[in-house]
Amino acid sequence: MAKPHDRDIGMGREITRRDFLNGAAIALTGSVAGGHWVRMTGTEPSLAGVQAADYYPPALTGMRGSHAGSFEVAHAMRDGRSWDIGPDTDTGERYDLVVVGGGISGLSAAWFFRAAAGRGARILILDNHDDFGGHAKRNEFSYEGQTLLINGGTLNIEAPGQYSAAAAALLREIGIDRERYRLAAGRDRETGRPRGLGRAFFFDHETFGEDRLVTGYGRGPWSEFVEKAPLSEAARRDLVRLNDDASDFETMPELRSDAKKARLARISYRDYLIDVLELDARVADFYQSRTHGLFCVGIDAIPALFCWEMGYPGFQGMALDPTPPERLINEPGGQHGRENAARASEGGPSLRFADGNATITRLLVSGLIPESIEASSMEDVVTARLYYDRLDIAGADVRIRLNSTAVRVAHRGDPADSSEVEVTYVRDGKAQTVRAGGCVMACYNSVIPYLCPELPLVQREALAYAVKAPIVYTSVLLPDWTAFESLGVSSITAPGAYHTSLSLDFPTRLGDYQPARTPRDPVVLHLVRTPCSPGSPKKQQHIEGRRDLQAATFGTFERNIREDLARMLSGSAFDPARDVAAITVNRWPHGYAYTYNTLDDPIRWALDTPDDRPNVVGRRPFGRIAIANSDAAASPHTDAAINEAYRAVRELL
Ligand SMILES: Cc1cc2nc3c(=O)[nH]c(=O)nc-3n(C[C@H](O)[C@H](O)[C@H](O)COP(=O)(O)OP(=O)(O)OC[C@H]3O[C@@H](n4cnc5c(N)ncnc54)[C@H](O)[C@@H]3O)c2cc1C
């Protein structure tokens, strides 16, 4: 696991239970149906309580991620609604462990628990979605007899060499072999130019005064790039100066390195560019969305210090002491050269499967419930059929119960000496209760205070501190990519567009899976939107971004996608009415785990790992309840999710 380094920057080290017992049952409308159907999609699965044989959520299109039917119960719980929980709700089931949350952390907790307690341990995993995997979901399209895959959330195993012993062992045990992957997964990753195409930047009319797609972004001299851009002379000069000749920015010469860093920690990168370097505001607009993929907010809410660490331009003349490299791998999904280079040099090249880290979750499920999937290796699991109707079989040792939102987790008797917990969940509008010897809460940590009102107040307050960052990964099925080929681009950065970046899927050949080869083959386009409200603190932007996501309909997404593609690809034969075959919007209002920020949180929380951080106070074990999820590490990473599961299980054992 990436360990935040210890360093000094010169400024010191710095609904009660009754509510649930007495309420009226909530009626859920629509159940899990939320998929909006567009052309070329799979078959809508049966949505009955017990999964039918044709139930196959990865093939659903429309509004996915936190789909309709997955969040209503939790929101009702937040708003004080409650459920009838009486003797008749007891299913009579008794488990050794119940896991709340079927993401990578929850599935890993089941894995670690079974490894320690032995085969035969009885485990139930509950998840509120119609599919397991949490963020690590898979989108599957079918087009003219061909299957196309892409990640609907968690993308890659980043810097695997940095994984802890427990996390690395888990990956090995489920069948992920780094060396075999390296040999099998294709050449494109080595060239860094998928399909031989390059990057482009889209200048939009609303921000830059004119719509223009400029190719050659990130390649060749900046002086050539800016010549093609619709920017004023002043903005062009500043962009070149910032990137090609930045050694003349001898900012803060009167200060020592530590003091400079302290100032950079307290100023946003946007303010640094405009107020300290006195660059043209269009230069800041050019970089505005560059931090979206990492932090889900723009450069107005990210400290200049973090941007220096990530290799952004503008600091070359400051003579700052170099950063220990661990810091660089503490944020996910870096897209830019130096960030990736730093990660790769520390943790080896990332592993990226055709369906992202859904491969991890499918392999975990394959190990936990072998009869659910006809695959055992990372090669076969990519194309293997998963039988959802076999996930929750009566009498099986391990069961995964989907469409089930936990609403109460409480000890039977005094938590101090109780040996049993009761877990109540709502499914199909009905509350049901099971009992277990212990419970791992691998769900979003901020819902735990609602589920476990018996936790001490200080712990509930700590759990409520973080706000997860909202993010959307949209998958658009295109019948071909001739338009991209004719423009010579495979990815576009577009700070003013609805989705601020888009790219053709990364071609990963593994096992029998064949991604698009020729420009006339169908392909999936991956678009990223991180709704935010520039100008506010990061946490507030996450809250407002989440509201934006809750209000946006599928129609809003579809209209924006077609309009934006028409504008960006106007120099090609792309027809937005004809050339969009299907859309899956993976909406994650509760996306990345919250990360501390030197602008808004106590600085030592962001730069060090003190025990008074809310994620540490919040994850304390309580009787037979332990707390996992990447939230417990305040780190939006797959290894964090696995590590927290490992710790939580050890606490219970
Ligand atoms: C879009 C996106 C891309 C990412 N990309 C990467 C990447 O490339 N590499 C990387 O390392 N990390 C990435 N991450 C970080 C990612 O969060 C982790 O990798 C990991 O998948 C988190 O797993 P988790 O199990 O901790 O949480 P989750 O995946 O969030 O799983 C928690 C589950 O608990 C469920 N739950 C919540 N409340 C309840 C309840 N009351 N009852 C039942 N179930 C409940 C949730 O709905 C969810 O299904 C990405 C995250 C997102 C959102």
Side-chain angles (χ1 to χ4, degrees), residues 111 169-176 359-360 363-364 376-378:
W111 187 273
L170 178 136
L171 293 187
R172 267 195 314 276
E173 286 164 23
I174 64 176
I176 292 178
T359 283
I360 297 182
L363 285 169
L364 279 164
S376 55
S377 75
M378 66 179 181

Side-chain angles (χ1 to χ4, degrees), residues 40-59:
M40 308 301 173
T41 63
T43 330
E44 186 167 12
S46 159
L47 302 170
V50 175
Q51 276 100 47
D54 63 349
Y55 180 103
Y56 195 65

Side-chain angles (χ1 to χ4, degrees), residues 101 103-105 127-129 134-135 154-156 406 443-444 629-630 636 638:
I104 289 178
S105 199
D127 198 280
N128 54 322
H129 288 97
H135 297 144
T154 313
L155 172 73
N156 63 12
C443 51
Y444 310 148
N629 193 287
S630 56
T638 293

Side-chain angles (χ1 to χ4, degrees), residues 22-28 81-85 429-431:
N22 296 333
I26 179 170
L28 271 186
R81 297 280 295 277
S82 51
W83 292 265
D84 274 332
I85 303 174
K430 285 205 277 304

Side-chain angles (χ1 to χ4, degrees), residues 66 70 74 77 100-107 126-129 131 133-137 151-158 163 332-333 357 404-407 442-444 447 451 468-469 471-473 588 590-593 628-631 635-642:
S66 289
S70 67
M77 182 172 58
V100 176
I104 289 178
S105 199
L107 294 169
L126 299 169
D127 198 280
N128 54 322
H129 288 97
D131 199 356
H135 297 144
K137 290 281 195 310
N151 58 302
T154 313
L155 172 73
N156 63 12
I157 301 174
E158 194 181 339
Y163 274 38
N357 285 0
S404 303
T405 306
V407 292
C443 51
Y444 310 148
V447 305
L451 272 91
K468 287 170 86 72
I471 185 167
V472 185
Y473 278 8
W588 301 113
H590 306 273
Y592 292 167
N629 193 287
S630 56
D631 288 349
S635 168
H637 285 94
T638 293
D639 55 336
I642 299 172

Side-chain angles (χ1 to χ4, degrees), residues 331-391:
E331 300 297 339
Q335 296 165 5
H336 296 277
R338 200 165 138 194
E339 297 153 34
N340 280 344
R343 289 195 183 92
S345 68
E346 288 304 309
S350 62
L351 274 63
R352 186 164 170 168
F353 298 97
D355 59 0
N357 285 0
T359 283
I360 297 182
T361 67
R362 284 162 76 90
L363 285 169
L364 279 164
V365 170
S366 153
L368 292 167
I369 312 176
E371 52 281 13
S372 65
I373 184 163
E374 287 161 1
S376 55
S377 75
M378 66 179 181
E379 286 89 353
D380 0 306
V381 86
V382 183
T383 45
R385 176 84 191 183
L386 202 138
Y387 298 96
Y388 282 81
D389 55 332
R390 300 179 192 169
L391 293 179

